[in-house]
């Protein structure tokens, strides 16, 4: 059983592109936030890798990848050693080039709302769903979703100081697309911050700050990986372990701003052994799907995009009777019957 949990913040921009902090400063912020690894994805460059910034820093594993493409079809590449040329119109060429280097990658923000306050309202959506060979998609991009709430300056300031009032749930289009893709292949879900530590200046300079500082973002939407044993002290071995967990979907996504997601578990108990998130199981083994939650939440079992069971609890189980991908969502209860998205598992694939 995968019994060790490690938390990472993926898709971070540093001063090597349009971020506002150095990789050293980002690692220090991640350490203060209590997470274990960060994924640096500066636009179009691997300078951080080539200048020796990858490695252990402040007890945080710093992994340097890249974000590729410009106006649309942004792709997060990891485990590559050379820059991949942008090919915004034909992202399959980018995916193939990453794979040829032995790398892997994720669709960065499949859908966005955009904001009139940023880039003229541009949304950097993924347009080419005819591609293949990618590992997965980011179902929850924290900065992108917060940005979609800021339709004007008053709203932007309001949600900046009252983030609990913002709608931070993953976009329905992204979730629907993920469920659609899962009908034909394995697609790993990750959560990302897309954080730039963006400096903000509003109301004639009376309001100044960052949206959001790196430490804050590292306490929000993260990807939690599960390993069989401790994360190795040797950096190259640790890097391999993290990348293997991401490739195989041995991970879940959680937003810990309002409740800590650490400690969530979802697995199948067949007649013998355990089937983990991202892995294959068989209905012939009479598996029972098990959820353990760190706090009381609405637990939803989802089969092929449809809720098959929901209950408000700290644990739950479900006995599947049909093949296909099974995943779970946890939503925190709020006043007046509302809920807040909290945790999203990767699927268990039953045949």
């Amino acid at each position: 059983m995968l019994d060790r949990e490690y938390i990472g913040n993926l898709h971070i921009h540093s001063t090597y592109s349009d971020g506002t902090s150095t990789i050293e400063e980002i690692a220090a912020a991640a350490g203060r936030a209590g997470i274990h690894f960060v994924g640096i994805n500066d636009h179009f460059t691997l300078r951080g890798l080539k200048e020796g910034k990858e490695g252990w820093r402040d007890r945080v594993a710093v992994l340097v990848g890249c974000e590729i493409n410009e106006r649309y079809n942004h792709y997060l590449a990891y485990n590559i050693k050379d820059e991949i040329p942008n090919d915004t119109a034909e992202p399959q060429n980018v995916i193939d080039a990453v794979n040829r280097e032995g790398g892997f990658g994720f669709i960065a923000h499949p859908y966005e709302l955009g904001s009139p306050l940023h880039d003229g309202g541009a949304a950097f959506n993924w347009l080419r769903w005819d591609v293949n060979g990618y590992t997965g998609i980011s179902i929850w991009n924290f900065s992108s979703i917060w940005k979609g709430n800021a339709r004007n300056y008053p709203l932007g300031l309001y949600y900046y100081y009252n983030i609990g009032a913002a709608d931070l749930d993953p976009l329905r289009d992204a979730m629907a697309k993920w469920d659609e893709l899962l009908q034909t292949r394995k697609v790993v879900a990750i959560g990302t911050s897309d954080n730039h530590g963006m400096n903000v200046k509003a109301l004639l300079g009376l309001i100044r700050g960052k949206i959001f500082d790196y430490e804050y973002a590292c306490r929000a939407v993260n990807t939690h990986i599960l390993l069989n044993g401790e994360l190795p002290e040797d950096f190259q071995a640790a890097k391999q372990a993290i990348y293997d967990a991401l490739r195989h979907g041995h991970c879940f996504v959680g937003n810990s701003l309002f409740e800590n997601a650490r400690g969530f578990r979802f697995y199948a108990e067949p007649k013998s052994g355990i089937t983990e998130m991202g892995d294959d199981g068989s209905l012939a083994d009479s598996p029972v799907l098990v959820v353990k939650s760190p706090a009381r939440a609405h637990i939803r079992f989802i089969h092929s995009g449809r809720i098959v069971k929901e209950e408000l609890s700290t644990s739950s189980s479900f006995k599947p009777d049909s093949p296909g991908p099974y995943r779970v969502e946890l939503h925190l209860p709020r006043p007046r019957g509302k809920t807040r998205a909290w945790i999203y598992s990767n699927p268990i694939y039953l045949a």
Side-chain angles (χ1 to χ4, degrees), residues 199-240:
N199 290 311
V200 61
K201 179 179 177 182
L203 296 182
L204 302 177
L206 296 177
I207 303 295
R208 295 173 182 266
K210 286 182 180 290
I211 304 179
F212 291 95
D213 71 51
Y214 291 91
E215 182 178 345
Y216 184 93
C218 286
R219 300 181 188 276
V221 174
N222 286 313
T223 299
H224 301 234
I225 65 168
L226 299 178
L227 302 180
N228 183 13
E230 300 288 342
L231 190 65
E233 293 183 5
D234 175 76
F235 176 72
Q236 290 302 323
K239 175 180 176 179
Q240 187 65 51

Side-chain angles (χ1 to χ4, degrees), residues 340-351:
R340 187 192 308 278
W342 183 30
I343 294 172
Y344 290 79
S345 79
N346 266 287
I348 293 171
Y349 302 87
L350 297 179

Side-chain angles (χ1 to χ4, degrees), residues 290-350:
V290 177
V291 171
K292 296 181 179 179
S293 172
R296 188 167 174 264
H298 294 273
I299 301 172
R300 300 173 184 172
F301 291 83
I302 297 174
H303 173 232
S304 299
R306 182 174 64 89
I307 298 174
V308 293
K309 180 180 179 179
E310 179 173 356
E311 68 173 310
L312 182 61
S313 181
T314 57
S315 63
S316 188
S317 62
F318 177 75
K319 193 170 190 325
D321 58 6
S322 300
Y326 287 84
R327 62 179 185 85
V328 296
E329 298 178 4
L330 273 61
H331 296 252
L332 295 171
R334 299 177 66 189
R336 297 185 295 277
K338 296 182 179 180
T339 63
R340 187 192 308 278
W342 183 30
I343 294 172
Y344 290 79
S345 79
N346 266 287
I348 293 171
Y349 302 87
L350 297 179

Side-chain angles (χ1 to χ4, degrees), residues 147-158:
K147 180 177 68 175
N149 286 263
R151 309 309 301 168
N152 52 52
Y153 280 113
L155 279 177
L157 289 171
Y158 176 71

Side-chain angles (χ1 to χ4, degrees), residues 64-309:
V64 178
C66 185
E67 183 172 12
I68 308 168
N69 285 340
E70 297 176 279
R71 182 60 184 88
Y72 300 105
N73 302 324
H74 287 200
Y75 194 63
L76 304 177
Y78 293 101
N79 203 39
I80 57 174
K81 296 180 180 179
D82 298 299
E83 281 98 351
I84 305 295
N86 292 331
D87 196 335
T88 301
E90 297 294 340
Q92 186 65 62
N93 293 333
V94 170
I95 296 170
D96 292 343
V98 170
N99 293 343
R100 282 195 298 270
E101 283 202 22
F104 65 105
F106 300 89
I107 292 171
H109 21 73
Y111 296 94
E112 280 197 320
L113 296 178
S115 168
L117 306 184
H118 187 262
D119 287 328
F124 298 88
N125 294 324
W126 187 273
L127 303 181
R128 294 293 301 273
W129 291 106
D130 57 338
V131 297
N132 56 67
Y134 57 94
T135 298
I137 66 174
S138 171
I139 60 167
W140 204 349
N141 182 308
F142 177 65
S143 295
S144 173
I145 289 174
W146 183 88
K147 180 177 68 175
N149 286 263
R151 309 309 301 168
N152 52 52
Y153 280 113
L155 279 177
L157 289 171
Y158 176 71
Y159 289 130
Y160 179 72
Y161 289 106
N162 299 277
I163 194 166
D167 181 2
L168 298 176
D169 291 8
L171 295 180
R172 292 182 180 179
D173 286 345
M175 298 306 299
K177 176 57 72 173
W178 185 36
D179 281 325
E180 174 190 328
L181 295 169
L182 286 172
Q183 300 313 299
T184 58
R185 53 161 292 195
K186 290 186 176 184
V187 179
V188 176
I190 59 169
T192 55
S193 70
D194 200 358
N195 195 37
H196 298 70
M198 185 183 301
N199 290 311
V200 61
K201 179 179 177 182
L203 296 182
L204 302 177
L206 296 177
I207 303 295
R208 295 173 182 266
K210 286 182 180 290
I211 304 179
F212 291 95
D213 71 51
Y214 291 91
E215 182 178 345
Y216 184 93
C218 286
R219 300 181 188 276
V221 174
N222 286 313
T223 299
H224 301 234
I225 65 168
L226 299 178
L227 302 180
N228 183 13
E230 300 288 342
L231 190 65
E233 293 183 5
D234 175 76
F235 176 72
Q236 290 302 323
K239 175 180 176 179
Q240 187 65 51
I242 293 168
Y243 282 168
D244 284 347
L246 292 173
R247 285 180 189 263
H248 290 99
H250 294 160
C251 54
F252 65 90
V253 179
N255 181 2
S256 291
L257 275 182
F258 308 104
E259 187 73 49
N260 198 326
R262 187 192 301 259
F264 165 81
R265 294 295 183 270
F266 172 53
Y267 53 89
E269 285 186 328
K271 292 178 180 177
S272 61
I274 294 292
T275 304
E276 304 283 359
M277 288 180 290
D279 289 345
D280 297 304
S282 173
L283 288 172
D285 293 330
S286 301
V288 175
L289 302 177
V290 177
V291 171
K292 296 181 179 179
S293 172
R296 188 167 174 264
H298 294 273
I299 301 172
R300 300 173 184 172
F301 291 83
I302 297 174
H303 173 232
S304 299
R306 182 174 64 89
I307 298 174
V308 293
K309 180 180 179 179

